C-alpha cells in the first residue's frame, strides 16, 4: 500500500481488536525512527490501543523502552517510546491502567444501551479521564428514570454475559440493529460491532472486556442538563470502589464530628444549622446593644476617635462607625482583631471625604483598604499603639499635612 507521502504504508495487526484482555505479546519491529525527544516505533502487531473515541492511548513497554503514547497517523500505528528498539521484542501493557479504562468504557456501553433501550435517546459524547468518566445523551431523563438506567446497567453486569467484537459482512450488517450507526470505525472504514449479549449492540473501535461481570459495578454520580440533553458522570469497577472508600472516609469523619450515627447525619446537620441561625440572631442582638452602649458613652469631638472592639465582626464595626461618624469632626475608626492576626477596620466620616485620606491611612498603617468617601474598609498589620497614635495626631496631619 502507498502512503500520501509516496512511501510504503506499514500495516499493523490490531491485537486489541480481537482480544481486549491481551496484556503481553511479542512483535517484530518494522520501523524505529527518531521523533522529537524519543522514537516512533511501528510493530507488525500490537495490543497497544491508540488514542481515539474519547479514550487515551495505552502505555507500557516494548523491549526495554517505555511506551509513552500511541497514535494513528496517516493510517499507521505509531508507538512513541523513550528508547530505540529493533528485531523481535517482548511487549507489555500497563494492564491495570487499561483494565480500569475498559471497566469504565464497557460500563458506558451498558448505561447508554439501557438508556437507548428504555427511553430511545442516543449517546452523543464520551470522555474518559484519569479519574472520571462522562457521557452525553440527546435527551433528558427524570431522577426516577436515571435510577432505572443504573439498575438495568448493573443487571447486565450481574448477569456476566460474554462481550463479542467483530466486523460483520455487509449483508449481516444491514440486518443488524445497533447503536452509534453514524460512527465510521474500524479497518478501512468497516463497522466493528461490540455486543454485550442480550443488553447492548453498538459500533465501536476500542478494546473491550470479554465479559460484563468484569465491570464490577456501575454508579452514576451526577447528571446535569447539557446542550439540550444531559451529561452524566459515572464510575465503574475499581473507580467506583475507590470513590466508595473516599465517601466512607468523609462520612466517618462527619459522623465523629457530629457525634451522630452515619444514617442520621443529615438530621444532625439540620439541627446544627438551626442552632447556628438562633446563635446568629442572639449575637446580632448583643452586637446592637454593645454598639449602642459604646456610642452613648461618647461625646462629640472636633478631632478623630479610634475604638478597639475585639468582639465585633465587620458588620458590627460598620454599625459602630456609621453611628460614630456623627460624634466627630474628623474620622471615626473602629478596629477588631489582635496584634498577631492584625486588625480589620472600618473608618467613617460625615464631614471629611475619606477618598482624600485613603492613601495616607494605607501608607501610615501599612493597610489594604477600599470604600467610598463616607466609609472605608480595610485590614492592617500595624499594632494598636501605632494605630492610636496615628488617629490622635490625625487632625494635624489632615489640616497641615
Ligand atoms: Zn466500546
Amino acid at each position: 500500500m502507498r502512503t500520501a507521502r509516496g512511501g510504503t504504508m506499514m500495516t499493523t495487526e490490531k491485537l486489541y481488536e480481537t482480544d481486549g484482555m491481551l496484556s503481553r505479546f511479542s512483535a517484530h519491529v518494522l520501523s524505529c525512527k527518531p521523533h522529537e525527544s524519543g522514537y516512533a516505533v511501528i510493530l507488525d502487531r500490537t495490543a497497544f490501543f491508540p488514542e481515539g473515541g474519547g479514550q487515551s492511548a495505552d502505555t507500557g513497554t516494548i523491549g526495554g523502552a517505555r511506551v509513552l503514547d500511541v497514535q494513528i497517523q496517516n493510517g499507521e500505528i505509531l508507538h512513541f517510546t523513550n528508547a530505540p528498539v529493533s528485531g523481535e521484542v517482548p511487549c507489555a501493557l500497563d494492564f491495570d491502567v487499561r483494565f480500569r479504562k475498559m471497566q469504565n468504557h464497557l460500563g458506558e456501553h451498558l448505561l447508554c444501551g439501557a438508556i437507548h433501550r428504555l427511553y430511545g435517546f442516543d449517546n452523543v459524547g464520551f470522555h474518559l479521564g484519569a479519574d472520571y468518566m462522562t457521557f452525553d445523551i440527546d435527551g433528558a431523563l427524570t431522577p426516577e428514570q436515571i435510577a432505572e438506567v443504573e439498575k438495568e446497567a448493573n443487571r447486565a453486569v450481574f448477569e456476566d454475559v460474554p462481550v463479542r467484537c467483530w466486523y460483520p459482512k455487509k449483508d449481516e450488517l444491514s440486518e443488524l440493529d445497533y447503536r452509534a450507526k453514524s460512527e465510521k470505525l474500524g479497518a478501512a472504514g468497516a463497522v466493528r460491532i461490540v455486543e454485550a449479549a442480550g443488553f447492548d449492540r453498538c459500533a465501536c473501535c476500542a478494546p473491550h472486556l470479554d465479559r460484563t461481570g468484569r465491570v464490577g459495578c456501575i454508579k452514576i454520580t451526577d447528571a446535569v442538563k447539557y446542550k439540550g440533553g444531559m451529561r452524566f458522570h459515572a464510575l465503574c469497577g475499581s473507580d467506583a470502589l475507590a470513590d466508595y472508600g473516599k465517601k466512607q472516609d468523609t462520612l466517618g469523619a462527619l459522623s465523629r464530628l457530629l457525634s451522630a450515627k452515619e444514617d442520621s447525619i443529615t438530621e444532625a446537620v439540620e439541627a446544627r444549622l438551626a442552632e447556628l441561625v438562633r446563635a446568629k440572631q442572639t449575637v446580632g442582638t448583643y452586637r446592637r446593644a454593645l454598639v449602642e452602649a459604646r456610642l452613648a458613652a461618647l461625646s462629640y469631638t472636633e478631632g478623630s476617635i479610634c475604638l478597639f472592639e475585639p468582639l465585633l465582626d465587620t458588620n458590627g464595626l460598620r454599625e459602630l462607625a456609621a453611628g460614630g461618624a456623627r460624634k466627630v469632626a474628623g474620622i471615626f475608626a473602629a478596629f477588631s482583631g489582635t496584634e498577631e492576626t492584625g486588625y480589620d477596620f472600618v473608618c467613617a466620616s460625615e464631614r471629611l471625604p475619606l477618598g482624600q485620606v485613603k492613601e495616607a491611612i494605607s501608607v501610615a498603617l501599612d493597610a489594604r483598604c477600599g470604600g467610598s468617601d463616607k466609609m472605608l474598609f480595610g485590614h492592617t498589620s500595624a499594632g494598636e499603639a501605632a494605630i492610636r497614635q496615628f488617629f490622635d495626631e490625625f487632625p494635624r496631619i489632615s489640616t497641615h499635612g
Side-chain angles (χ1 to χ4, degrees):
M1 198 181 290
R2 308 290 291 177
T3 67
R5 292 163 295 166
T8 304
M9 183 156 80
M10 282 175 273
T11 52
T12 303
E13 185 190 349
K14 296 169 179 169
L15 301 173
Y16 57 80
E17 283 197 340
T18 45
D19 184 2
M21 298 301 292
L22 184 67
S23 61
R24 290 171 182 276
F25 62 102
S26 65
H28 190 75
V29 177
L30 299 179
S31 160
C32 177
K33 292 178 181 163
H35 177 87
E36 294 179 359
S37 57
Y39 297 84
V41 177
I42 299 177
L43 302 173
D44 66 338
R45 57 210 293 263
T46 188
F48 287 96
F49 177 63
E51 181 179 358
Q55 187 167 313
S56 60
D58 286 329
T59 55
T61 54
I62 294 177
R66 279 299 300 169
V67 177
L68 308 167
D69 191 12
V70 187
Q71 297 285 334
I72 293 185
Q73 289 180 7
N74 303 314
E76 292 176 328
I77 299 176
L78 302 180
H79 306 74
F80 297 105
T81 63
N82 66 347
V85 288
S86 63
E88 197 70 15
V89 280
C91 306
L93 271 64
D94 293 331
F95 200 66
D96 286 354
V97 180
R98 155 71 92 73
F99 191 78
R100 180 223 152 231
K101 288 181 195 173
M102 291 196 294
Q103 284 186 315
N104 282 285
H105 185 112
L106 188 57
E108 185 260 4
H109 277 249
L110 298 176
L111 286 165
C112 291
I115 289 170
H116 187 75
R117 197 166 62 250
L118 295 174
Y119 306 110
F121 295 127
D122 282 313
N123 173 1
V124 289
F126 170 65
H127 189 74
L128 181 54
D131 57 0
Y132 70 93
M133 182 259 278
T134 66
F135 63 92
D136 306 332
I137 63 168
D138 60 358
L141 299 180
T142 64
E144 294 74 23
Q145 289 172 328
I146 291 169
E148 193 56 35
V149 164
E150 185 180 87
K151 196 170 149 192
E152 187 61 11
N154 278 290
R155 189 170 70 84
V157 175
F158 301 155
E159 292 197 11
D160 188 27
V161 297
V163 177
R164 181 185 166 216
C165 309
W166 81 104
Y167 285 99
K169 298 235 160 45
K170 220 174 176 182
D171 290 353
E172 186 192 356
L173 188 67
S174 63
E175 297 289 309
L176 275 182
D177 185 24
Y178 62 96
R179 295 190 298 111
K181 281 204 170 72
S182 60
E183 304 274 322
K184 293 285 179 208
L185 301 165
V191 175
R192 180 168 175 261
I193 296 293
V194 177
E195 180 184 70
F199 289 95
D200 184 47
R201 191 187 294 131
C202 73
C204 185
C205 64
H208 292 81
L209 296 168
D210 56 348
R211 299 191 69 86
T212 56
R214 292 196 197 269
V215 174
C217 74
I218 299 173
K219 186 77 194 116
I220 294 172
T221 55
D222 197 19
V224 291
K225 292 219 162 66
Y226 181 74
K227 290 187 177 175
M230 285 194 111
R231 169 161 288 183
F232 289 77
H233 287 250
L235 295 170
C236 302
S238 54
D239 281 5
L241 185 64
D243 188 56
Y244 193 116
K246 264 196 281 183
K247 287 185 166 124
Q248 200 172 28
D249 288 348
T250 303
L251 209 57
L254 285 173
S255 170
R256 287 188 293 280
L257 282 169
L258 294 163
S259 301
K261 288 192 174 139
E262 288 187 5
D263 59 1
S264 59
I265 280 179
T266 306
E267 291 82 353
V269 169
E270 282 168 352
R272 295 297 196 287
L273 289 174
E275 275 174 31
L276 191 62
V277 168
R278 287 195 296 276
K280 279 186 172 174
Q281 287 166 346
T282 307
V283 167
T285 304
Y286 281 109
R287 186 183 68 213
R288 280 189 293 279
L290 176 65
V291 167
E292 280 167 21
R294 288 287 181 272
L295 291 174
L298 294 173
S299 1
Y300 184 84
T301 168
E302 289 297 328
S304 294
I305 292 177
C306 163
L307 278 188
F308 282 76
E309 283 298 345
L311 291 178
L312 289 183
D313 60 9
T314 308
N315 284 336
L317 292 177
R318 181 205 293 262
E319 285 174 27
L320 184 59
R326 291 192 287 274
K327 302 271 187 175
V328 293
I331 297 174
F332 187 96
F335 287 77
S336 175
T338 66
E339 296 288 297
E340 288 73 36
T341 61
Y343 293 91
D344 291 327
F345 63 86
V346 178
C347 294
S349 179
E350 296 209 328
R351 296 196 192 171
L352 185 67
L354 294 176
Q356 295 176 12
V357 295
K358 189 173 107 176
E359 186 65 21
I361 292 174
S362 297
V363 171
L365 300 184
D366 189 21
R368 287 175 281 111
C369 70
S372 66
D373 273 347
K374 293 279 180 204
M375 201 170 268
L376 292 179
F377 301 85
H379 182 87
T380 172
S381 51
E384 183 175 341
I387 294 169
R388 287 190 183 282
Q389 187 184 357
F390 174 77
F391 284 101
D392 283 347
E393 294 174 356
F394 188 76
R396 272 196 289 116
I397 295 167
S398 64
T399 312
H400 308 292

